[in-house]
PDB file of all heavy atoms in Angstrom:
ATOM      1  N   ASN R 385      90.476 117.375 102.343  1.00 86.00           N
ATOM      2  CA  ASN R 385      89.066 117.494 102.348  1.00 86.00           C
ATOM      3  C   ASN R 385      88.474 117.895 103.724  1.00 86.00           C
ATOM      4  O   ASN R 385      87.365 118.315 103.883  1.00 86.00           O
ATOM      5  CB  ASN R 385      88.362 116.172 101.931  1.00 86.00           C
ATOM      6  CG  ASN R 385      88.702 115.038 102.787  1.00 86.00           C
ATOM      7  OD1 ASN R 385      89.875 114.966 103.271  1.00 86.00           O
ATOM      8  ND2 ASN R 385      87.816 114.060 102.987  1.00 86.00           N
ATOM      9  N   ARG R 386      89.298 117.674 104.747  1.00 91.00           N
ATOM     10  CA  ARG R 386      88.765 117.861 106.080  1.00 91.00           C
ATOM     11  C   ARG R 386      89.261 119.153 106.751  1.00 91.00           C
ATOM     12  O   ARG R 386      89.609 119.249 107.893  1.00 91.00           O
ATOM     13  CB  ARG R 386      89.102 116.686 107.019  1.00 91.00           C
ATOM     14  CG  ARG R 386      88.392 115.421 106.623  1.00 91.00           C
ATOM     15  CD  ARG R 386      86.873 115.567 106.505  1.00 91.00           C
ATOM     16  NE  ARG R 386      86.198 116.044 107.707  1.00 91.00           N
ATOM     17  CZ  ARG R 386      85.775 115.332 108.732  1.00 91.00           C
ATOM     18  NH1 ARG R 386      85.890 114.044 108.703  1.00 91.00           N
ATOM     19  NH2 ARG R 386      85.195 115.910 109.767  1.00 91.00           N
ATOM     20  N   SER R 387      89.285 120.224 105.893  1.00 91.00           N
ATOM     21  CA  SER R 387      89.720 121.566 106.472  1.00 91.00           C
ATOM     22  C   SER R 387      88.779 122.021 107.511  1.00 91.00           C
ATOM     23  O   SER R 387      89.046 122.948 108.283  1.00 91.00           O
ATOM     24  CB  SER R 387      89.899 122.509 105.338  1.00 91.00           C
ATOM     25  OG  SER R 387      88.700 122.623 104.610  1.00 91.00           O
ATOM     26  N   ASP R 388      87.591 121.417 107.625  1.00 94.00           N
ATOM     27  CA  ASP R 388      86.639 121.833 108.643  1.00 94.00           C
ATOM     28  C   ASP R 388      87.265 121.579 110.063  1.00 94.00           C
ATOM     29  O   ASP R 388      86.885 122.243 111.057  1.00 94.00           O
ATOM     30  CB  ASP R 388      85.297 121.053 108.557  1.00 94.00           C
ATOM     31  CG  ASP R 388      85.481 119.573 108.629  1.00 94.00           C
ATOM     32  OD1 ASP R 388      86.169 119.028 107.796  1.00 94.00           O
ATOM     33  OD2 ASP R 388      84.960 118.975 109.577  1.00 94.00           O
ATOM     34  N   CYS R 389      88.182 120.697 110.154  1.00 95.00           N
ATOM     35  CA  CYS R 389      88.803 120.398 111.438  1.00 95.00           C
ATOM     36  C   CYS R 389      90.063 121.203 111.682  1.00 95.00           C
ATOM     37  O   CYS R 389      90.844 120.930 112.565  1.00 95.00           O
ATOM     38  CB  CYS R 389      89.159 118.903 111.536  1.00 95.00           C
ATOM     39  SG  CYS R 389      87.638 117.935 111.766  1.00 95.00           S
ATOM     40  N   LEU R 390      90.248 122.273 110.844  1.00 95.00           N
ATOM     41  CA  LEU R 390      91.272 123.267 111.143  1.00 95.00           C
ATOM     42  C   LEU R 390      90.699 124.259 112.184  1.00 95.00           C
ATOM     43  O   LEU R 390      91.169 125.372 112.298  1.00 95.00           O
ATOM     44  CB  LEU R 390      91.672 124.031 109.902  1.00 95.00           C
ATOM     45  CG  LEU R 390      92.632 123.244 108.996  1.00 95.00           C
ATOM     46  CD1 LEU R 390      92.782 123.944 107.654  1.00 95.00           C
ATOM     47  CD2 LEU R 390      93.988 123.058 109.654  1.00 95.00           C
ATOM     48  N   SER R 391      89.674 123.869 112.937  1.00 96.00           N
ATOM     49  CA  SER R 391      89.104 124.731 113.957  1.00 96.00           C
ATOM     50  C   SER R 391      88.720 123.876 115.142  1.00 96.00           C
ATOM     51  O   SER R 391      88.372 122.686 114.957  1.00 96.00           O
ATOM     52  CB  SER R 391      87.929 125.483 113.478  1.00 96.00           C
ATOM     53  OG  SER R 391      86.865 124.579 113.099  1.00 96.00           O
ATOM     54  N   MET R 392      88.795 124.451 116.328  1.00 97.00           N
ATOM     55  CA  MET R 392      88.359 123.685 117.530  1.00 97.00           C
ATOM     56  C   MET R 392      86.908 123.244 117.378  1.00 97.00           C
ATOM     57  O   MET R 392      86.516 122.182 117.808  1.00 97.00           O
ATOM     58  CB  MET R 392      88.542 124.517 118.778  1.00 97.00           C
ATOM     59  CG  MET R 392      90.026 124.780 119.107  1.00 97.00           C
ATOM     60  SD  MET R 392      90.975 123.333 119.350  1.00 97.00           S
ATOM     61  CE  MET R 392      90.312 122.650 120.875  1.00 97.00           C
ATOM     62  N   LEU R 393      86.053 124.199 116.876  1.00 97.00           N
ATOM     63  CA  LEU R 393      84.700 123.809 116.701  1.00 97.00           C
ATOM     64  C   LEU R 393      84.435 122.698 115.743  1.00 97.00           C
ATOM     65  O   LEU R 393      83.622 121.814 115.952  1.00 97.00           O
ATOM     66  CB  LEU R 393      83.877 125.090 116.207  1.00 97.00           C
ATOM     67  CG  LEU R 393      83.307 125.978 117.349  1.00 97.00           C
ATOM     68  CD1 LEU R 393      82.605 127.200 116.787  1.00 97.00           C
ATOM     69  CD2 LEU R 393      82.329 125.184 118.264  1.00 97.00           C
ATOM     70  N   GLY R 394      85.152 122.725 114.694  1.00 96.00           N
ATOM     71  CA  GLY R 394      85.092 121.676 113.656  1.00 96.00           C
ATOM     72  C   GLY R 394      85.442 120.303 114.321  1.00 96.00           C
ATOM     73  O   GLY R 394      84.746 119.303 114.099  1.00 96.00           O
ATOM     74  N   VAL R 395      86.499 120.328 115.105  1.00 97.00           N
ATOM     75  CA  VAL R 395      86.948 119.114 115.735  1.00 97.00           C
ATOM     76  C   VAL R 395      85.824 118.669 116.755  1.00 97.00           C
ATOM     77  O   VAL R 395      85.578 117.548 116.930  1.00 97.00           O
ATOM     78  CB  VAL R 395      88.335 119.300 116.491  1.00 97.00           C
ATOM     79  CG1 VAL R 395      88.687 118.083 117.318  1.00 97.00           C
ATOM     80  CG2 VAL R 395      89.370 119.663 115.427  1.00 97.00           C
ATOM     81  N   ALA R 396      85.244 119.707 117.421  1.00 97.00           N
ATOM     82  CA  ALA R 396      84.187 119.414 118.375  1.00 97.00           C
ATOM     83  C   ALA R 396      82.979 118.703 117.742  1.00 97.00           C
ATOM     84  O   ALA R 396      82.493 117.733 118.251  1.00 97.00           O
ATOM     85  CB  ALA R 396      83.712 120.703 119.071  1.00 97.00           C
ATOM     86  N   TYR R 397      82.590 119.206 116.563  1.00 97.00           N
ATOM     87  CA  TYR R 397      81.521 118.541 115.844  1.00 97.00           C
ATOM     88  C   TYR R 397      81.878 117.082 115.536  1.00 97.00           C
ATOM     89  O   TYR R 397      81.070 116.142 115.630  1.00 97.00           O
ATOM     90  CB  TYR R 397      81.162 119.246 114.590  1.00 97.00           C
ATOM     91  CG  TYR R 397      80.230 120.457 114.738  1.00 97.00           C
ATOM     92  CD1 TYR R 397      80.678 121.751 114.679  1.00 97.00           C
ATOM     93  CD2 TYR R 397      78.914 120.244 115.092  1.00 97.00           C
ATOM     94  CE1 TYR R 397      79.836 122.834 114.919  1.00 97.00           C
ATOM     95  CE2 TYR R 397      77.999 121.349 115.303  1.00 97.00           C
ATOM     96  CZ  TYR R 397      78.475 122.619 115.179  1.00 97.00           C
ATOM     97  OH  TYR R 397      77.638 123.651 115.367  1.00 97.00           O
ATOM     98  N   GLU R 398      83.106 116.897 115.066  1.00 96.00           N
ATOM     99  CA  GLU R 398      83.591 115.562 114.712  1.00 96.00           C
ATOM    100  C   GLU R 398      83.597 114.607 115.944  1.00 96.00           C
ATOM    101  O   GLU R 398      83.039 113.516 115.888  1.00 96.00           O
ATOM    102  CB  GLU R 398      85.028 115.623 114.108  1.00 96.00           C
ATOM    103  CG  GLU R 398      85.689 114.330 113.792  1.00 96.00           C
ATOM    104  CD  GLU R 398      85.102 113.648 112.546  1.00 96.00           C
ATOM    105  OE1 GLU R 398      84.312 114.320 111.820  1.00 96.00           O
ATOM    106  OE2 GLU R 398      85.384 112.490 112.313  1.00 96.00           O
ATOM    107  N   VAL R 399      84.098 115.105 117.086  1.00 97.00           N
ATOM    108  CA  VAL R 399      84.207 114.325 118.295  1.00 97.00           C
ATOM    109  C   VAL R 399      82.821 114.035 118.860  1.00 97.00           C
ATOM    110  O   VAL R 399      82.476 112.967 119.226  1.00 97.00           O
ATOM    111  CB  VAL R 399      85.119 115.034 119.301  1.00 97.00           C
ATOM    112  CG1 VAL R 399      85.035 114.323 120.676  1.00 97.00           C
ATOM    113  CG2 VAL R 399      86.571 115.094 118.833  1.00 97.00           C
ATOM    114  N   ALA R 400      81.986 115.081 118.736  1.00 96.00           N
ATOM    115  CA  ALA R 400      80.577 114.886 119.222  1.00 96.00           C
ATOM    116  C   ALA R 400      79.861 113.762 118.416  1.00 96.00           C
ATOM    117  O   ALA R 400      79.119 112.924 118.956  1.00 96.00           O
ATOM    118  CB  ALA R 400      79.815 116.168 119.092  1.00 96.00           C
ATOM    119  N   ALA R 401      80.183 113.757 117.120  1.00 95.00           N
ATOM    120  CA  ALA R 401      79.536 112.729 116.266  1.00 95.00           C
ATOM    121  C   ALA R 401      80.027 111.337 116.631  1.00 95.00           C
ATOM    122  O   ALA R 401      79.264 110.354 116.664  1.00 95.00           O
ATOM    123  CB  ALA R 401      79.795 113.019 114.716  1.00 95.00           C
ATOM    124  N   ILE R 402      81.354 111.312 116.893  1.00 95.00           N
ATOM    125  CA  ILE R 402      81.981 110.001 117.191  1.00 95.00           C
ATOM    126  C   ILE R 402      81.407 109.476 118.547  1.00 95.00           C
ATOM    127  O   ILE R 402      81.113 108.296 118.709  1.00 95.00           O
ATOM    128  CB  ILE R 402      83.517 110.140 117.277  1.00 95.00           C
ATOM    129  CG1 ILE R 402      84.066 110.473 115.925  1.00 95.00           C
ATOM    130  CG2 ILE R 402      84.174 108.881 117.793  1.00 95.00           C
ATOM    131  CD1 ILE R 402      85.520 110.896 115.938  1.00 95.00           C
ATOM    132  N   LEU R 403      81.319 110.373 119.523  1.00 95.00           N
ATOM    133  CA  LEU R 403      80.918 109.986 120.885  1.00 95.00           C
ATOM    134  C   LEU R 403      79.384 109.974 121.020  1.00 95.00           C
ATOM    135  O   LEU R 403      78.915 109.515 122.079  1.00 95.00           O
ATOM    136  CB  LEU R 403      81.572 110.920 121.915  1.00 95.00           C
ATOM    137  CG  LEU R 403      83.083 110.983 121.890  1.00 95.00           C
ATOM    138  CD1 LEU R 403      83.546 111.957 122.909  1.00 95.00           C
ATOM    139  CD2 LEU R 403      83.687 109.623 122.153  1.00 95.00           C
ATOM    140  N   GLY R 404      78.690 110.574 120.096  1.00 93.00           N
ATOM    141  CA  GLY R 404      77.257 110.737 120.287  1.00 93.00           C
ATOM    142  C   GLY R 404      76.892 111.749 121.339  1.00 93.00           C
ATOM    143  O   GLY R 404      75.982 111.555 122.108  1.00 93.00           O
ATOM    144  N   ARG R 405      77.686 112.814 121.472  1.00 94.00           N
ATOM    145  CA  ARG R 405      77.399 113.846 122.498  1.00 94.00           C
ATOM    146  C   ARG R 405      77.030 115.222 121.849  1.00 94.00           C
ATOM    147  O   ARG R 405      77.160 115.310 120.642  1.00 94.00           O
ATOM    148  CB  ARG R 405      78.644 113.950 123.469  1.00 94.00           C
ATOM    149  CG  ARG R 405      78.876 112.698 124.215  1.00 94.00           C
ATOM    150  CD  ARG R 405      80.003 112.780 125.132  1.00 94.00           C
ATOM    151  NE  ARG R 405      80.221 111.490 125.833  1.00 94.00           N
ATOM    152  CZ  ARG R 405      81.179 111.206 126.667  1.00 94.00           C
ATOM    153  NH1 ARG R 405      82.025 112.150 127.036  1.00 94.00           N
ATOM    154  NH2 ARG R 405      81.311 109.994 127.216  1.00 94.00           N
ATOM    155  N   GLU R 406      76.753 116.162 122.732  1.00 93.00           N
ATOM    156  CA  GLU R 406      76.359 117.455 122.237  1.00 93.00           C
ATOM    157  C   GLU R 406      77.524 118.419 121.964  1.00 93.00           C
ATOM    158  O   GLU R 406      78.589 118.231 122.492  1.00 93.00           O
ATOM    159  CB  GLU R 406      75.443 118.172 123.343  1.00 93.00           C
ATOM    160  CG  GLU R 406      74.215 117.392 123.618  1.00 93.00           C
ATOM    161  CD  GLU R 406      73.207 117.436 122.454  1.00 93.00           C
ATOM    162  OE1 GLU R 406      72.978 118.546 121.934  1.00 93.00           O
ATOM    163  OE2 GLU R 406      72.678 116.387 122.058  1.00 93.00           O
ATOM    164  N   VAL R 407      77.284 119.448 121.137  1.00 95.00           N
ATOM    165  CA  VAL R 407      78.264 120.502 120.943  1.00 95.00           C
ATOM    166  C   VAL R 407      77.805 121.762 121.652  1.00 95.00           C
ATOM    167  O   VAL R 407      76.654 122.181 121.475  1.00 95.00           O
ATOM    168  CB  VAL R 407      78.512 120.782 119.473  1.00 95.00           C
ATOM    169  CG1 VAL R 407      79.467 121.962 119.296  1.00 95.00           C
ATOM    170  CG2 VAL R 407      79.050 119.596 118.725  1.00 95.00           C
ATOM    171  N   LYS R 408      78.656 122.327 122.537  1.00 95.00           N
ATOM    172  CA  LYS R 408      78.315 123.605 123.170  1.00 95.00           C
ATOM    173  C   LYS R 408      79.027 124.738 122.412  1.00 95.00           C
ATOM    174  O   LYS R 408      80.261 124.670 122.225  1.00 95.00           O
ATOM    175  CB  LYS R 408      78.863 123.629 124.638  1.00 95.00           C
ATOM    176  CG  LYS R 408      78.005 122.739 125.562  1.00 95.00           C
ATOM    177  CD  LYS R 408      78.714 122.702 126.915  1.00 95.00           C
ATOM    178  CE  LYS R 408      79.860 121.682 126.898  1.00 95.00           C
ATOM    179  NZ  LYS R 408      80.606 121.576 128.180  1.00 95.00           N
ATOM    180  N   LEU R 409      78.302 125.687 121.954  1.00 94.00           N
ATOM    181  CA  LEU R 409      78.870 126.747 121.140  1.00 94.00           C
ATOM    182  C   LEU R 409      79.401 127.857 122.058  1.00 94.00           C
ATOM    183  O   LEU R 409      78.908 128.089 123.223  1.00 94.00           O
ATOM    184  CB  LEU R 409      77.779 127.319 120.163  1.00 94.00           C
ATOM    185  CG  LEU R 409      77.391 126.350 119.100  1.00 94.00           C
ATOM    186  CD1 LEU R 409      76.268 126.997 118.231  1.00 94.00           C
ATOM    187  CD2 LEU R 409      78.558 125.947 118.231  1.00 94.00           C
ATOM    188  N   PRO R 410      80.466 128.551 121.592  1.00 93.00           N
ATOM    189  CA  PRO R 410      81.034 129.652 122.351  1.00 93.00           C
ATOM    190  C   PRO R 410      80.096 130.777 122.618  1.00 93.00           C
ATOM    191  O   PRO R 410      79.142 130.994 121.849  1.00 93.00           O
ATOM    192  CB  PRO R 410      82.296 130.064 121.626  1.00 93.00           C
ATOM    193  CG  PRO R 410      82.406 129.104 120.488  1.00 93.00           C
ATOM    194  CD  PRO R 410      81.137 128.414 120.261  1.00 93.00           C
TER     195      PRO R 410
END
Side-chain angles (χ1 to χ4, degrees):
Chain R
N385 60 325
R386 291 307 304 272
S387 54
D388 60 298
C389 285
L390 282 171
S391 64
M392 292 302 292
L393 269 177
V395 176
Y397 277 107
E398 176 74 11
V399 169
I402 294 167
L403 302 178
R405 296 182 184 178
E406 297 292 311
V407 175
K408 286 174 281 179
L409 293 176

